[in-house]
Amino acid sequence: ERDQDFLQGLLRKSEDDPEIEVMKVESVPGCNVGDNYMSSVTRVTITGKTKTRRSFRKFILMKRQPASMVRRQAFRCDPAFRNETAAYETILPTLKEFSKSVLPFPSCLHATNQLIVLQDLQPLGYRMADRLKGLDLQHSKLALQALGRFHGTSLAMKHADKDAFDKVRSHIQELVFVPEAAPVFGASMENSLKMALMSLEAYRGVGGLPIEEAVHKLTILKGTVFSRMFALVTPKETLSVICHGDFWINNMLFRYKDDTPEEVMFVDLQVARYASLSTDILHFLATSTEPEVATNYHDELVEIYHQSLCETITRLAPNAPMVTLKQINDEIEDHALYGLLMGFLLLPAVTAEKKIVNLDDVSAENLSSGEFLESAADSLSPKYFQRLYDLVMDFYGRGYI
C-alpha cells in the first residue's frame, strides 16, 4: 500500500496528470539471487486510470539497497547509490540537453540514495544476451558504437564548455579504487589474480614460452594490484571522459528486429567514473564478447568505436581537435593492465553456471582467508579456464603483457 501511494505520486508528477489513480501494483524479483552485488531489484507492473479515465499499464524497475548491512558496507552501497543518483539526476540530463539527442540509457522517474525507479526496458522488447556465450560481432559493434556516442558527447562538451562540464562530472566519484574500498576490493583483486595464476599452471606444459613469460610477469603484480588499478583509473587528460565504469554484458540490453540486434541500452551506473575512455573499451573486450570476436576483430571494433566517437564530436563541437585512431590505440595499450585485471576479476562470474558465493557473507576478513579463495577456486567452471587462457594469450600477442 505504501508503494502504491508512492508510485501514484510519482506517476502524477512524471505524467503531469494530478488525477492519475493507481489501481493495482504487482511486483516480481527483477534479477536472480546473487546476480546483483550492490542493489535489490524489483520489476513492477502498475495498473491505473488517467484523469480522462483511460486505463493504462506502466512497467518500471525499483532498485533498492540490499537488506544486508554486511553487504551494504562491503560493496559500498551508499556511495554507489549516490553515484547512480547523480548520473540519472544530473549527468545524463545535462549530456542529453547538450547533445540534443537520446542517450542509450533508460529514463529515470526517481532517484535518491535509497531508491532508484527506472523505466523497465523488457516490455519494450529489450533483453539481455547470454553471458556464458558472449556477444557476437554484430552485438559488439552495436555496443561500441553506442559507447562511442556516449564518450564523444563528454569530449564535445568538455571542449565546448569546460567549466560546465567539470561542474557536471564532479558529481560522480570513484567508487572502487579508493583507499576506503581497499579492504574488500583490494582483497578481491588479489584473489582474482591468484586464481588466474593457479589456473594458468594447467597450461604451462602446452602454452609454451608465451604462457611462461605471461605467468612470470603477472606473478610480479602480486601485492600491488589495487595500487596499480588506482593509478590506471586516475584521469589524465585529454582522453578522460564520463565512463560507464562497469561496461560488461550484464549491463546492456538489446532490442531485435528479425533476430538481428538493432538497438542497445546500458544500465547500472553505480560505478560511473571520470577516467580514460579506454577503461570502458578494455572492460568490455576482456569480459563480454565471444572469445574469437575479441581476438579476431579487435582492430575493427576499435575502429567502429573511433568512428562513432569522431562523428559525435564533429556534430556537437565542430572546432574540437580530432581524436585519431592512433590516440585511441595508444590509450588502450597504456591502460591494458586495467582490462586484463578486470577480466581476471569478472571471468569467474561471467562463466559461472551456478552462484559462486553468498554475497551476504562477503567481508574484508573472509575475503582474505585461504578458505574463501579455495572455495571460490573449486567453483570455477571449465569455461573459465578456456576464457582465461584466451584472454591472456590475446593480450600477450598484442604486446600488452
Side-chain angles (χ1 to χ4, degrees), residues 16 82 147 157 198 222 237 263 287 290 297 330 366:
D16 195 22
R82 286 198 297 272
L147 184 68
M157 185 176 177
M198 287 190 297
K222 281 185 176 180
E237 304 296 351
E263 287 187 58
T287 63
E290 294 174 351
Y297 297 98
D330 287 348
N366 62 27

Side-chain angles (χ1 to χ4, degrees), residues 276-378:
S276 167
L277 51 75
S278 66
T279 57
D280 274 349
I281 300 171
L282 284 158
H283 195 125
F284 176 78
L285 293 175
T287 63
S288 301
T289 73
E290 294 174 351
E292 59 272 19
V293 169
T295 302
N296 298 335
Y297 297 98
H298 176 281
D299 293 347
E300 182 178 343
L301 289 171
V302 174
E303 287 171 10
I304 284 168
Y305 166 87
H306 173 252
Q307 182 180 351
S308 177
L309 181 90
C310 290
E311 287 173 355
T312 303
I313 295 171
T314 300
R315 180 174 68 84
L316 299 176
N319 297 323
M322 265 302 102
V323 178
T324 67
L325 182 59
K326 183 180 185 304
Q327 283 178 287
I328 301 292
N329 281 318
D330 287 348
E331 197 80 0
I332 289 172
E333 185 171 353
D334 290 345
H335 293 81
L337 183 61
Y338 173 88
L340 186 66
L341 293 174
M342 288 307 297
F344 290 173
L345 181 68
L346 289 175
L347 281 179
V350 171
T351 58
E353 294 170 0
K354 59 181 180 178
K355 189 170 68 168
I356 296 176
V357 63
N358 183 349
L359 297 174
D360 290 341
D361 292 340
V362 172
S363 66
E365 290 73 24
N366 62 27
L367 278 172
S368 301
S369 70
E371 292 85 357
F372 186 91
L373 179 60
E374 187 176 322
S375 173
D378 287 344

Side-chain angles (χ1 to χ4, degrees), residues 51-351:
K51 65 181 176 183
T52 61
R53 310 314 293 164
R54 181 176 58 83
S55 297
F56 70 84
R57 295 180 81 198
K58 292 280 183 183
F59 305 93
I60 62 168
L61 292 178
M62 299 181 73
K63 190 172 182 178
R64 291 184 169 95
Q65 290 207 29
S68 165
M69 289 304 298
V70 172
R71 199 202 304 187
R72 286 191 190 192
Q73 292 169 359
F75 292 107
R76 307 192 68 232
C77 294
D78 281 341
F81 266 70
R82 286 198 297 272
N83 242 18
E84 190 157 33
T85 295
Y88 281 116
E89 290 283 280
T90 304
I91 291 167
L92 292 181
T94 303
L95 291 178
K96 183 179 178 182
E97 173 63 26
F98 173 75
S99 68
K100 300 292 189 291
S101 63
V102 177
L103 295 173
F105 297 91
S107 58
C108 177
L109 283 74
H110 174 83
T112 67
N113 296 346
Q114 297 298 320
L115 172 67
I116 294 173
V117 181
L118 300 170
Q119 169 191 29
D120 186 358
L121 296 171
Q122 193 177 74
L124 299 177
Y126 288 90
R127 62 180 188 265
M128 291 175 64
D130 182 354
R131 64 171 166 76
L132 285 170
K133 181 175 180 291
L135 299 177
D136 63 16
L137 184 59
Q138 279 185 309
H139 286 81
S140 299
K141 285 180 177 180
L142 199 59
L144 285 174
Q145 281 174 336
L147 184 68
R149 290 193 296 273
F150 178 49
H151 287 174
T153 304
S154 270
L155 289 176
M157 185 176 177
K158 184 161 64 170
H159 175 81
D161 191 344
K162 190 171 188 306
D163 289 343
F165 177 79
D166 286 343
K167 183 178 179 181
V168 168
R169 61 99 169 171
S170 70
H171 285 82
I172 50 170
Q173 305 295 326
E174 175 58 37
L175 178 77
V176 178
F177 300 110
V178 288
E180 52 268 38
V184 168
F185 289 106
S188 297
M189 297 298 298
E190 289 291 340
N191 279 344
S192 65
L193 174 61
K194 290 173 186 174
M195 279 201 295
L197 288 169
M198 287 190 297
S199 302
L200 289 170
E201 286 295 326
Y203 292 97
R204 292 189 82 155
V206 295
L209 186 60
I211 282 293
E212 294 286 344
E213 289 187 356
V215 167
H216 173 70
K217 290 179 179 178
L218 292 171
T219 302
I220 295 170
L221 300 177
K222 281 185 176 180
T224 68
V225 173
F226 194 79
S227 60
R228 289 174 186 267
M229 293 295 272
F230 178 88
L232 288 165
V233 300
T234 300
K236 304 172 186 67
E237 304 296 351
T238 61
L239 295 183
S240 292
V241 299
I242 295 169
C243 292
H244 181 284
D246 195 13
F247 195 64
W248 72 301
I249 189 170
N250 267 23
N251 287 334
M252 49 192 73
L253 294 93
F254 296 88
R255 186 157 68 178
Y256 298 81
K257 184 177 182 181
D258 301 328
D259 293 327
T260 300
E262 61 174 4
E263 287 187 58
V264 63
M265 286 281 202
F266 306 145
V267 296
D268 199 347
L269 287 160
Q270 294 182 321
V271 193
R273 58 165 60 99
Y274 182 67
S276 167
L277 51 75
S278 66
T279 57
D280 274 349
I281 300 171
L282 284 158
H283 195 125
F284 176 78
L285 293 175
T287 63
S288 301
T289 73
E290 294 174 351
E292 59 272 19
V293 169
T295 302
N296 298 335
Y297 297 98
H298 176 281
D299 293 347
E300 182 178 343
L301 289 171
V302 174
E303 287 171 10
I304 284 168
Y305 166 87
H306 173 252
Q307 182 180 351
S308 177
L309 181 90
C310 290
E311 287 173 355
T312 303
I313 295 171
T314 300
R315 180 174 68 84
L316 299 176
N319 297 323
M322 265 302 102
V323 178
T324 67
L325 182 59
K326 183 180 185 304
Q327 283 178 287
I328 301 292
N329 281 318
D330 287 348
E331 197 80 0
I332 289 172
E333 185 171 353
D334 290 345
H335 293 81
L337 183 61
Y338 173 88
L340 186 66
L341 293 174
M342 288 307 297
F344 290 173
L345 181 68
L346 289 175
L347 281 179
V350 171
T351 58

